[in-house]
Amino acid sequence: GLLVTTCGLLRHRPGGGGAYWVDSQQKRYVPVKGDHVIGIVTAKAGDVFRLDVGGSEPASLSYLAFEGATKRNRPNVQVGDLIYGQFVVANKDMEPEMVCIDSSGKSSGMGIIGQDGFLFKVSLGLIRKLLAPKCEIIQELSQLYPFELVIGMNGRIWVKAKTVQQTLIIVNILEACEYMTAEQRKQALAKLSGN
Amino acid sequence: RQPLSPCAAGERLCSTEEATAGSGTYTRHGFIFSSLAGCLDRKSEDNELPVVSVVRDSESQLLPNVGAVVTCKVCSINSRFAKVHILYVGSTPLKSTFRGTIRRQDIRATEKDKVEVYKSFRPSDIVLAKVISLGDAQSNYLLSTAENELGVVVARSEAGVQMVPISWCEMQCPRTHTKEFRKVARVQPQFLQT
């Protein structure tokens, strides 16, 4: 039979063969194949970059795994850059491997994240809430200021707005959304847009 | 044969006129010196000079030769190779394990570039392999499983139960019925014990 190993909310999806899973709250990320994450480049070793993704081991990213990259045309990646990519190999026996292209060879939004902006860490439960379709938090925030947002499944979010002050306001609201109810959030946003 | 007496490394045993140097000794300036710390063994021949040798243990260490079939346990895997500990050479157990490497291109004989190490071996699998080289400066034996009779013989599933082979590339767990990929060895029927 099936046994539950973590505490949380039990969810059920009746479609297809049916699936049961447990929504649990945690901050430590475990790499899973297919997840899109934000990694920080820590080292360049030959033709492979080492990225910190918040797991137990650094992930490796080949310089050929970018759109339009060849042996002559290398991507311009420096130590300390932010990369948005997905895992192709992620299991408990080997170090995880990332790529910045999908199965057809297109980048589809992945690659090096541009200059400026702000990177911060939240819990994995909030990430899943933000990535749900038609998330209210994102819709309400987008009516406040225009901003760019990258959400990584490893708990990392990157935000960039027009000014530093606007960026920091969005960061503080997203961090506080963890513990605010919907009414508290609407009140806070109403106060800000009124200002 | 005289009884074995202990000797230290570097001890001068005798001159080359009285005996010939055997294993564990070396000659310098016309004398025989011991190169190991162990027991002195003097074997007297009928017509020739006695042979002087120094042995560390009562049995000499059995070393894997090129072409020997060894039994090893996988300790870690990588996308390019698998690192193993060599436990048995043929059917004799080793007192101290040697380290070996199975490269990705030596796992199978056919379709070598489509091989994935994760789908052939996992850590803690017991593997039958053949020695192809005595190794490089890091003293890792190079092993190969590129034959039908070589590969994984014993493996545990993610549930911790010993799996049953169902084909040359799959094994099945008897409790959860999940299939896992391994490069399975086709063991000769005379070696199977039921």
Side-chain angles (χ1 to χ4, degrees):
Chain A
L2 279 170
L3 292 173
V4 175
T5 51
T6 47
C7 52
L9 296 166
L10 182 68
R11 307 268 191 212
H12 174 59
R13 182 178 60 220
Y20 282 97
W21 71 93
V22 176
D23 260 347
S24 63
Q25 183 66 298
Q26 66 180 56
K27 289 186 188 164
R28 167 64 72 176
Y29 176 67
V30 173
V32 171
K33 183 175 167 174
D35 267 2
H36 292 256
V37 294
I38 299 179
I40 305 174
V41 180
T42 54
K44 282 201 266 195
D47 47 358
V48 150
F49 304 114
R50 292 251 168 269
L51 299 176
D52 165 44
V53 291
S56 56
E57 275 182 310
S60 67
L61 169 64
S62 163
Y63 74 96
L64 290 170
F66 289 85
E67 185 177 5
T70 59
K71 289 194 184 157
R72 302 271 177 86
N73 182 18
R74 288 173 171 248
N76 186 15
V77 174
Q78 306 302 324
V79 172
D81 277 353
L82 298 176
I83 307 254
Y84 183 62
Q86 64 175 346
F87 286 116
V88 286
V89 171
N91 50 62
K92 59 180 168 68
D93 298 320
M94 296 203 292
E95 70 160 6
E97 284 177 31
M98 274 178 61
V99 288
C100 286
I101 51 173
D102 59 11
S103 47
S104 59
K106 301 258 172 56
S107 67
S108 64
M110 295 187 277
I112 309 170
I113 296 178
Q115 295 292 316
D116 307 326
F118 192 88
L119 178 80
F120 62 104
K121 203 169 173 333
V122 293
S123 75
L124 305 186
L126 179 62
I127 296 282
R128 282 197 293 267
K129 219 195 298 185
L130 291 171
L131 283 173
K134 296 190 198 142
C135 171
E136 288 181 349
I137 309 176
I138 309 268
Q139 283 175 348
E140 286 167 19
L141 272 177
S142 57
Q143 282 159 11
L144 196 60
Y145 314 117
F147 59 93
E148 277 180 71
L149 182 70
V150 178
I151 303 180
M153 295 284 296
N154 53 345
R156 294 183 180 164
I157 304 181
W158 180 85
V159 178
K160 180 174 167 186
K162 278 211 198 104
T163 66
V164 174
Q165 198 186 19
Q166 288 180 358
T167 309
L168 290 176
I169 291 174
I170 296 174
V171 166
N172 284 327
I173 293 182
L174 283 172
E175 275 180 339
C177 275
E178 181 105 46
Y179 300 112
M180 281 203 294
T181 61
E183 290 86 40
Q184 286 173 329
R185 191 179 64 234
K186 290 190 171 83
Q187 280 174 15
L189 286 170
K191 236 193 287 184
L192 279 167
S193 52
N195 273 351
Chain B
R1 279 187 51 188
Q2 292 178 351
L4 301 174
S5 61
C7 66
E11 193 177 313
R12 191 174 70 183
L13 303 173
C14 58
S15 77
T16 44
E17 293 159 19
E18 298 169 7
T20 42
S23 70
T25 60
Y26 62 96
T27 39
R28 193 71 49 99
H29 308 306
F31 288 96
I32 300 179
F33 294 86
S34 158
S35 65
L36 300 175
C39 293
L40 180 64
D41 187 31
R42 193 183 286 262
K43 277 197 213 112
S44 48
E45 314 278 322
D46 294 324
N47 294 328
E48 298 158 2
L49 288 172
V51 176
V52 160
S53 58
V54 180
V55 275
R56 251 187 98 80
D57 289 313
S58 45
E59 309 144 21
S60 55
Q61 175 84 287
L62 184 63
L63 291 177
N65 285 322
V66 175
V69 174
V70 294
T71 309
C72 38
K73 183 170 186 152
V74 179
C75 46
S76 69
I77 56 173
N78 199 316
S79 53
R80 285 167 302 171
F81 48 79
K83 294 268 192 204
V84 302
H85 281 303
I86 302 179
L87 305 169
Y88 286 74
V89 174
S91 43
T92 40
L94 294 175
K95 272 186 240 72
S96 59
T97 58
F98 295 115
R99 309 240 354 14
T101 306
I102 307 179
R103 292 177 304 178
R104 186 172 152 220
Q105 59 265 35
D106 298 328
I107 295 180
R108 266 170 42 181
T110 55
E111 288 189 334
K112 286 185 188 181
D113 27 329
K114 287 198 198 154
V115 167
E116 272 187 60
V117 180
Y118 189 61
K119 290 193 176 159
S120 314
F121 304 126
R122 296 277 172 96
S124 85
D125 285 354
I126 306 288
V127 170
L128 275 177
K130 185 179 275 196
V131 180
I132 48 178
S133 158
L134 292 180
D136 49 348
Q138 276 96 29
S139 68
N140 263 330
Y141 282 92
L142 267 186
L143 308 171
S144 158
T145 55
E147 275 170 40
N148 289 339
E149 289 82 26
L150 302 174
V152 175
V153 280
V154 172
R156 287 190 174 265
S157 73
E158 314 245 323
V161 182
Q162 190 162 323
M163 291 197 287
V164 174
I166 49 179
S167 77
W168 69 272
C169 58
E170 275 187 323
M171 289 180 119
Q172 191 170 29
C173 171
R175 195 191 292 173
T176 59
H177 301 290
T178 46
K179 293 185 191 172
E180 286 182 31
F181 290 106
R182 298 285 201 279
K183 199 271 175 189
V184 187
R186 189 176 63 191
V187 183
Q188 304 296 319
Q190 68 254 29
F191 294 124
L192 283 176
Q193 209 178 29
T194 43

